[in-house]
Amino acid sequence: MTQTQVSQVDPQDELRAIYVAHYRFQYLSAAFEFGLFSVLAEAPGLTRAEIAGRLGLEEQPARILLLGLTAFGLVRKDGDRYSNSAITEPLASNTDQVPAAFIPYHQHITYRSMGWFHESLKKNTNVGLHREFGDDATTLYARLATDPGLERAFHNAMGGFSQKVSDELAATLDLSSYAHVLDVGGGTAVNATKLARRWPHLRVTILDLPTVAEEANARSASAGLGDRVRAIGLDAFGDEFPEGDYDCVLFAHFLEIWSVDRIRAVVGKAARAAGPNAGMFVVTPFQDDAETGPQHAAELSAYFHAVASGEGMVYTPKEYESWMSEAGFRPAGRAYVNNLVDHIVISGVKSGDAGRTAS
Ligand SMILES: C[S@@+](CC[C@H](N)C(=O)[O-])C[C@H]1O[C@@H](n2cnc3c(N)ncnc32)[C@H](O)[C@@H]1O
């Protein structure tokens, strides 16, 4: 057998791994919800009976759980004693931060709703959101506002993810020549507080939905940045942007949620709100210009379409540059941010000004 043959995955095995993937995730998610990985980190080498006792499980469910976790490589069994595997060790602590926070996020937000993917493609809308979370809201974000538990699951994952990306962002974005950033869809101020710390002269105004803006203001106040980072609650599409001396616009993980028409409208609105020679930074996952991947772009596109908004997807850098140009911003460079998954920063400068770029 040649080297290539050894490393090749049997297509039938690969197919099977796909159609049973939900079992693997459910074992992981159930064990996480029981707190098993934290228990095993604290007391490695527990027996099945000891684990059942700690988790409050009867014997047969404990046996099933541990069989699956062992079979899928999520815990190790040595003799009759169990401990975390390398895969699950990172899930034992900091359970409201990534990577652990991704588990309740996928379990409670994307798992069942993605089961409506086929219907969502056929109907060209987010059937998953409506079937799993009701018809009260047209986007997941508006729905979250009425459910504190879901909102926490979402923002723990998104905020934790942003913590990682924002470290690289703070190092990547050159904001030295800007004084006031308009951070559209800025979330709970994770990016804004990092950027404000990195650039001590900088002010940031976050625009986000009212419940999120409230949390952003609380975070900024507790970080001692209340005088420079403030959030305003509004609907970025339905409401006017508040007037201000903005000389830079940031769209971080926001535009990809929406349709091309909405993106063009909101980029145009931001362009009108920003002063002459303003900068623009779009931070986003991207699909390559050849439209072949990466996989992360495909995952997120399915999620936006079937759940989050029913209208967005992960676009190409070329498309963003064309929307910027249309709004009067000259594209001024691309920088790659690869901390967790592939992201890009696309920068632009309001026409007439040269020389401000992402890196
Ligand atoms: C994926 S999160 C990105 C948060 C942040 N910019 C970051 O990079 O971590 C998208 C944000 O858009 C906000 N959002 C959704 N719809 C909105 C709307 N109509 N107006 C303003 N913000 C909105 C959500 O509340 C959420 O905070």
Side-chain angles (χ1 to χ4, degrees):
M1 209 179 251
T2 66
Q3 188 66 38
T4 332
Q5 283 169 321
V6 169
S7 60
Q8 260 175 1
V9 181
D10 180 336
Q12 290 309 308
D13 288 345
E14 198 163 344
L15 177 62
R16 187 169 192 287
I18 295 170
Y19 62 64
V20 299
H22 55 304
Y23 289 105
R24 193 174 194 206
F25 178 72
Q26 288 306 329
Y27 272 107
L28 178 75
S29 176
F32 182 77
E33 293 212 2
F34 281 123
L36 176 64
F37 305 124
S38 307
V39 167
L40 288 179
E42 216 175 84
L46 293 178
T47 63
R48 188 167 82 209
E50 288 167 338
I51 290 170
R54 300 259 187 133
L55 270 42
L57 282 177
E58 293 190 36
E59 190 190 333
Q60 184 143 332
R63 194 175 161 198
I64 292 169
L65 180 65
L66 289 167
L67 168 66
L69 293 173
T70 310
F72 285 123
L74 303 174
V75 298
R76 283 189 300 114
K77 187 177 185 211
D78 301 304
D80 59 356
R81 298 188 173 274
Y82 295 88
S83 43
N84 286 328
S85 72
I87 299 173
T88 49
E89 249 158 38
L91 309 177
S93 55
N94 300 322
T95 51
D96 60 355
Q97 287 165 35
V98 292
F102 280 133
I103 296 170
Y105 166 78
H106 283 296
Q107 175 69 18
H108 298 297
I109 295 177
T110 72
Y111 205 86
R112 278 190 292 270
S113 48
M114 279 311 303
W116 297 95
F117 186 44
H118 174 239
E119 288 291 314
S120 300
L121 290 173
K122 254 195 339 202
K123 302 235 161 86
N124 192 18
T125 187
N126 50 348
V127 178
L129 177 82
H130 295 288
R131 289 304 182 101
E132 295 301 328
F133 299 104
D135 288 325
D136 299 349
T138 54
T139 70
L140 174 66
Y141 311 96
R143 176 66 182 78
L144 292 174
T146 63
D147 187 331
L150 269 192
E151 193 169 45
R152 199 172 325 108
F154 178 87
H155 283 291
N156 277 349
M158 192 63 216
F161 168 74
S162 302
Q163 290 281 5
K164 307 257 179 200
V165 176
S166 60
D167 285 337
E168 273 204 45
L169 263 192
T172 307
L173 294 187
D174 179 0
L175 299 176
S176 55
S177 57
Y178 298 117
H180 192 175
V181 175
L182 186 64
D183 182 2
V184 184
T188 53
V190 174
N191 292 333
T193 49
K194 289 241 170 94
L195 293 173
R197 278 205 197 97
R198 166 73 182 83
W199 303 103
H201 67 283
L202 198 68
R203 283 175 294 134
V204 183
T205 296
I206 294 170
L207 307 181
D208 208 298
L209 298 173
T211 53
V212 182
E214 229 173 85
E215 209 182 309
N217 280 325
R219 182 190 293 268
S220 133
S222 72
L225 293 166
D227 55 333
R228 292 197 289 128
V229 176
R230 64 168 186 151
I232 297 171
L234 50 65
D235 171 2
F237 300 100
D239 297 327
E240 283 310 310
F241 287 177
E243 284 186 18
D245 53 354
Y246 318 113
D247 57 2
C248 182
V249 179
L250 173 64
F251 290 108
H253 307 122
F254 181 72
L255 294 179
E256 64 272 20
I257 300 169
W258 311 108
S259 67
V260 172
D261 287 348
R262 288 235 231 191
I263 294 174
R264 292 166 68 187
V266 80
V267 169
K269 197 189 254 191
R272 289 189 296 280
N277 303 327
M280 180 178 289
F281 296 100
V282 175
V283 182
T284 180
F286 65 98
Q287 61 164 306
D288 47 56
D289 283 329
E291 305 190 9
T292 54
Q295 272 184 19
H296 182 237
E299 292 157 17
L300 281 174
S301 295
Y303 159 74
F304 292 134
H305 189 74
V307 189
S309 63
E311 59 178 82
M313 68 177 289
V314 174
Y315 301 97
T316 63
K318 237 199 253 172
E319 288 174 286
Y320 283 110
E321 287 163 353
S322 77
W323 299 323
M324 274 183 179
S325 300
E326 192 181 281
F329 283 77
R330 185 179 53 75
R334 300 175 181 183
Y336 293 86
V337 183
N338 294 321
N339 194 326
L340 264 187
V341 279
D342 296 331
H343 277 70
I344 195 168
V345 180
I346 303 162
S347 57
V349 180
K350 212 165 169 180
S351 294
D353 187 16
R356 287 171 174 172
T357 59
S359 55

